[in-house]
Amino acid sequence: MRRLLRLLPVRFFVASLVYLALGVVFGALDALGYGNFKSVHTHLIAGAFFTLVIMGSMYQLIPTIIGTEIRYKRLAEIQFILVNIAFISLAYSFLIEYSFLKVAGFIAFVSFLIFAIEIYATTLSVKNFYKLSLAIWFFLAAVAYLIIGSAYALTGTLGITGFNILEHAHILTIGFIAMTTFGGFYELFPMLALKKLYSRRLGEIHFLIANIGAIGMFLSFSQKGSLFIFSSIIFLLGFYLFAFNIAKTYLSKLNTFVSETDISARFMAYALIFGVAGVTAGLSSALTGFPGSFTHVHYILAGWVGLTMIGAMYHIVPMLTWIQKYSSKVGQEKVPLINELYNKQLAKAIFITLNISLALFGLRDLLPALNLFAVPLAAAFLAFAVEMVLILKR
Amino acid sequence: MEILDVRGIQHSERPQIILEKLKELGKLEILVEVKPVPVIVMLESKGYTCKATQDQGLWKVKITEK
């Protein structure tokens, strides 16, 4: 495992798993009424876990896709340390000393800025990078939103500008997290499902629509007037277009003889269902109050984003482990297959538990008894975190 | 050059089978559904040269030793 930890993306993934484990424990305690941990839960999951998985994935995927190397490796190492200090400081601020939030926010902003410099410098060093993959478009947009969202939070916390928590949350979730997830889907899903993306042109149109909708929403969040509703509908239509493109990809005529769908692709396919349900619930909640923001937030973040990340990690982590530990031994001794590095029965159990418990837990505002599903949901996330660490040790 | 059609093989089994064939033959052409970018990166890091072309929806990757 020590050899694997030399790889920067692996360090990001391992750290993210620690935040995931802590975040789900705080979330479950909050849901079961053992304290108010909403802020720390949100920042550990939607902040630390998602951000570190995204950063690790971008450090791994972008050089792979565009055929280059990370531009400033030493700076990326420093960025890894800073971003962890930032998220630990944020958790400390929400749990123990709220006034520390300003320092935590500043460290976070600096680490994000370094990350942005790294990603843009790496990408722009390759000629015609935009032709190589649609994912790159979304990744670059996402990083820009990360800077805008974190600058907004920092200046708000310092009292320089006004601060609206929903605006802050949406710039970072729609802007940074959702845009990255779109990009990840366009790149990884066809590869894992062994299909050709149905239409890159539709993906480009989606990129335009998603950004128009997102920017419109950010600008109108405080008024929640007609521009906000219009922008939300634009974003929603973009999401449906994305879902249509991916569904058509998945259902396209088989060009493969492999019958069983890869576990990673299966996680991502179900994530898409939660995504469609979540964005629809968001607009419906804004217009009618039904089914409520809890369903919207949890179907989008835990369902669409969370399951996509789990799917991506079930691919990337065993692949990196196998390449580092076993690829050089092929032909010399018996080595395990990539899919033998994880427990298939456990992966299936995690898949089923996460989907069922999340579908029910997300509706807890409609039926409070469903709150109990926080327990199996947390247990499945924890099992996943432990399994990822065990893969790295195998 | 020997041709290996990996389309009937599970995604996660492919890198090992490709590497075994390469150790045995030194060069290989693989047929695959989608461009296998991660495998190409891995092979290039191990001293192979990969040339990928698309033909009627099918990817052909010629792998040779540098």
Side-chain angles (χ1 to χ4, degrees), chain A residues 55-68:
Chain A
M55 288 175 171
S57 302
M58 283 200 197
Y59 279 135
Q60 174 65 27
L61 284 177
I62 290 178
T64 305
I65 295 169
I66 62 175
T68 188

Side-chain angles (χ1 to χ4, degrees), chain A residues 195 256-257 327 330 339, chain B residues 7 12 16 23 33-34 46:
Chain A
K195 304 284 174 75
T256 180
F257 312 124
S327 65
V330 172
N339 63 4
Chain B
R7 288 177 297 161
S12 51
Q16 181 173 342
K23 288 256 165 95
E33 310 89 336
V34 289
K46 291 185 176 300

Side-chain angles (χ1 to χ4, degrees), chain A residues 85-381:
Chain A
I85 294 173
F87 281 118
I88 292 165
S89 307
L90 275 175
Y92 172 78
S93 308
F94 288 118
L95 279 173
I96 296 161
E97 182 54 63
Y98 192 74
S99 62
F100 200 66
L101 195 61
K102 292 172 184 173
V103 179
F106 179 74
I107 303 168
F109 180 70
V110 172
S111 75
F112 297 159
L113 203 57
I114 296 172
F115 176 69
I117 291 167
E118 192 71 79
I119 294 301
Y120 272 86
T122 302
T123 309
L124 298 177
S125 69
V126 174
K127 204 178 165 190
N128 293 335
F129 67 86
Y130 54 90
K131 287 184 185 168
L132 296 171
S133 168
L134 185 58
I136 300 292
W137 299 26
F138 284 95
F139 289 165
L140 293 182
V143 173
Y145 290 124
L146 173 67
I147 297 304
I148 296 166
S150 53
Y152 175 80
L154 179 62
T155 52
T157 311
L158 295 173
I160 299 167
T161 58
F163 182 74
N164 178 323
I165 194 158
L166 286 175
E167 227 161 77
H168 159 63
H170 278 79
I171 294 174
L172 289 172
T173 50
I174 291 179
F176 176 54
I177 297 171
M179 292 296 167
T180 309
T181 311
F182 287 137
F185 244 96
Y186 282 125
E187 184 64 29
L188 289 178
F189 187 77
M191 187 181 81
L192 295 170
L194 297 170
K195 304 284 174 75
K196 186 177 180 294
L197 180 65
Y198 172 67
S199 168
R200 174 168 168 143
R201 179 51 60 91
L202 277 187
E204 291 170 0
I205 295 169
H206 169 225
F207 177 78
L208 195 68
I209 293 176
N211 280 284
I212 292 171
I215 292 167
M217 282 165 82
F218 305 152
L219 295 176
S220 58
F221 221 105
S222 46
Q223 290 95 30
K224 289 238 172 158
S226 52
L227 177 62
F228 177 74
I229 298 297
F230 178 72
S231 307
S232 305
I233 291 171
I234 294 277
F235 188 83
L236 187 72
L237 291 175
F239 201 100
Y240 289 157
L241 189 64
F242 157 73
F244 171 77
N245 203 356
I246 297 296
K248 286 290 277 183
T249 304
Y250 188 59
L251 300 171
S252 66
K253 199 177 151 210
L254 289 176
N255 189 21
T256 180
F257 312 124
V258 177
S259 53
E260 197 185 338
T261 308
D262 185 273
I263 186 76
S264 303
R266 223 178 304 162
F267 267 109
M268 292 174 88
Y270 278 72
L272 191 64
I273 297 168
F274 275 108
V276 170
V279 288
T280 310
L283 184 68
S284 144
S285 301
L287 294 174
T288 66
F290 179 84
S293 60
F294 189 86
T295 308
H296 164 58
V297 168
H298 283 80
Y299 278 10
I300 289 281
L301 293 181
W304 179 51
V305 180
L307 292 185
T308 301
M309 288 188 175
I310 288 179
M313 287 177 80
Y314 257 115
H315 168 69
I316 297 174
V317 173
M319 181 83 165
L320 285 175
T321 306
W322 190 87
I323 289 172
Q324 284 297 312
K325 285 190 179 170
Y326 300 107
S327 65
S328 56
K329 296 176 184 168
V330 172
Q332 296 164 13
E333 58 183 85
K334 190 172 166 13
V335 298
L337 296 168
I338 294 174
N339 63 4
E340 286 172 350
L341 292 178
Y342 61 82
N343 184 320
K344 285 180 199 157
Q345 292 307 316
L346 181 63
K348 270 187 193 167
I350 290 171
F351 175 78
I352 293 166
T353 311
L354 279 179
N355 278 290
I356 293 174
S357 51
L358 182 59
L360 295 169
F361 178 64
L363 299 173
R364 72 141 202 211
D365 278 0
L366 303 176
L367 187 61
L370 296 175
N371 216 14
L372 280 176
F373 282 93
V375 177
L377 186 62
F381 274 119

